[in-house]
Amino acid sequence: MTDSSLAQVLRSHGLRMTPQRQLVLDAVRQLGHATPEQVHNAVQRVADSVNITTVYRTLELLEELGLVTHTHLSHGAPTYHPADEDQHIHLVCRDCGTVEGVEPELLAPLARELRRQRGFEVDIGHVALFGRCGTCGGRDDR
Amino acid sequence: MTDSSLAQVLRSHGLRMTPQRQLVLDAVRQLGHATPEQVHNAVQRVADSVNITTVYRTLELLEELGLVTHTHLSHGAPTYHPADEDQHIHLVCRDCGTVEGVEPELLAPLARELRRQRGFEVDIGHVALFGRCGTCGGRDDR
DNA sequence: CTAGGTGCAAATAGTTTGCAACTAC
DNA sequence: GTAGTTGCAAACTATTTGCACCTAG
């Protein structure tokens, strides 16, 4: 494949392929969960002239194209991750800040119930649950 | 009761009762779910000289005192609500932005499972689920 | 060539901090 | 009287926007 899928998707929307866009997508894929700033850092390691503005614009674009999605974890920080990756629930530890992913199936019964009771369709990939992780909860050092 | 419970709680921590603190707490109770800015607006309707800085500081204080809690709904704005109010899960509609609360019992089986599998303690009152509400989902106007 | 894309600087929004004046007790 | 509290202005952080220059196709 001389032409990456990103280029194809972009072209099919009448948009241009640029090195910046490839780098941002690569960074999101490599990082798994990352804030715009973390993506920017990762991109800069490869091409230090890329501006954070471009990162913001590119993340927004990639999201519109359905290549990445974002979730709001802990405080306000949005974190981006590849859209094609397996959907997962984010568990955010309020003490150590660690984010772990769990299989979305765990949310299925709840999702079903909300749909039945309220007609509410939960966006599973967008879910973040706050609490205290096993490591922090085990030792009660609060 | 000549002395409100807020005054009592404050005093028991060596802190002072002020009109601003009562107004902020009242606003949170009255609004149910509100961002700092919304709280500020509500407070200003009663006492327009109250500064938003004071609102931020007071919300933080009331949270430390266990009188209010906050959750991160949709984008970045934190929303505060009374801590003594029944805990509830927040359902945030991605289309209309409406926030509705549902009984936390629905989350209990999931919480139990996460505790068992991961040792992760979900903070139920802090949970927000994103998706599409019945009203927006019913008419597929996307 | 030329419309889309980028970098830079400035604007904006949300929140925090330093500090002098004020007030609850 | 005095330490806790407030208002104001300034500082900060995160994100967005305007615009001239650049480049993919």
Side-chain angles (χ1 to χ4, degrees):
Chain A
M1 72 184 211
T2 49
D3 208 17
S4 75
S5 65
L6 174 56
Q8 289 170 30
V9 174
L10 287 168
R11 199 157 317 120
S12 75
H13 286 257
L15 301 169
R16 290 182 192 167
M17 176 59 170
T18 66
Q20 289 90 335
R21 287 173 176 177
Q22 186 66 62
L23 288 169
V24 168
L25 181 55
D26 290 348
V28 171
R29 287 184 170 153
Q30 179 207 315
L31 295 171
H33 291 107
T35 61
E37 196 185 350
Q38 291 171 322
V39 171
H40 183 222
N41 289 339
V43 169
Q44 283 199 319
R45 254 169 256 133
V46 184
D48 71 340
S49 68
V50 177
N51 196 283
I52 193 159
T53 302
T54 301
V55 172
Y56 277 107
R57 286 191 281 226
T58 304
L59 287 171
E60 190 182 353
L61 176 66
L62 294 177
E63 185 152 33
E64 278 166 19
L65 295 175
L67 296 173
V68 308
T69 53
H70 81 277
T71 310
H72 294 281
L73 307 181
S74 48
H75 69 293
T79 70
Y80 287 80
H81 54 94
D84 53 327
E85 192 177 83
D86 289 333
Q87 285 208 326
H88 52 275
I89 304 170
H90 301 92
L91 298 184
V92 185
C93 178
R94 95 166 89 84
D95 287 353
C96 64
T98 303
V99 179
E100 42 181 331
V102 276
E103 329 83 70
E105 289 74 48
L106 284 174
L107 203 64
L110 173 59
R112 200 176 308 123
E113 195 59 22
L114 291 176
R115 190 180 310 120
R116 202 174 58 74
Q117 282 191 19
R118 307 295 195 99
F120 189 93
E121 287 290 338
V122 174
D123 181 353
I124 293 183
H126 215 273
V127 171
L129 301 177
F130 297 85
R132 183 138 52 145
C133 73
T135 313
C136 292
R139 356 205 112 281
D140 201 335
D141 53 6
R142 283 223 125 189
Chain B
M1 71 189 214
T2 49
D3 208 17
S4 76
S5 66
L6 174 57
Q8 289 169 28
V9 175
L10 287 168
R11 199 157 317 120
S12 74
H13 287 258
L15 300 168
R16 290 184 190 164
M17 176 60 171
T18 65
Q20 288 90 334
R21 289 175 175 174
Q22 185 66 60
L23 288 169
V24 169
L25 181 56
D26 289 348
V28 170
R29 287 184 170 154
Q30 178 207 316
L31 295 171
H33 291 107
T35 62
E37 197 185 349
Q38 292 170 324
V39 171
H40 183 219
N41 288 339
V43 169
Q44 284 199 320
R45 253 169 257 133
V46 185
D48 71 339
S49 68
V50 177
N51 196 280
I52 193 160
T53 301
T54 300
V55 172
Y56 277 107
R57 287 192 281 227
T58 304
L59 287 172
E60 190 183 351
L61 175 68
L62 294 176
E63 186 152 31
E64 279 165 19
L65 294 176
L67 296 173
V68 307
T69 53
H70 80 278
T71 310
H72 292 281
L73 307 181
S74 51
H75 71 293
T79 70
Y80 287 80
H81 54 95
D84 53 328
E85 192 176 83
D86 289 334
Q87 284 208 326
H88 53 275
I89 304 169
H90 300 94
L91 298 182
V92 185
C93 178
R94 95 166 90 84
D95 287 353
C96 64
T98 303
V99 179
E100 43 180 332
V102 277
E103 328 82 68
E105 289 76 44
L106 284 174
L107 201 65
L110 172 60
R112 201 176 305 122
E113 195 59 22
L114 290 176
R115 190 180 310 121
R116 203 172 58 74
Q117 281 189 21
R118 308 296 196 99
F120 189 94
E121 287 289 338
V122 174
D123 181 353
I124 293 183
H126 215 273
V127 170
L129 301 177
F130 297 85
R132 186 139 49 145
C133 74
T135 314
C136 292
R139 353 206 115 279
D140 202 335
D141 52 6
R142 282 222 127 191

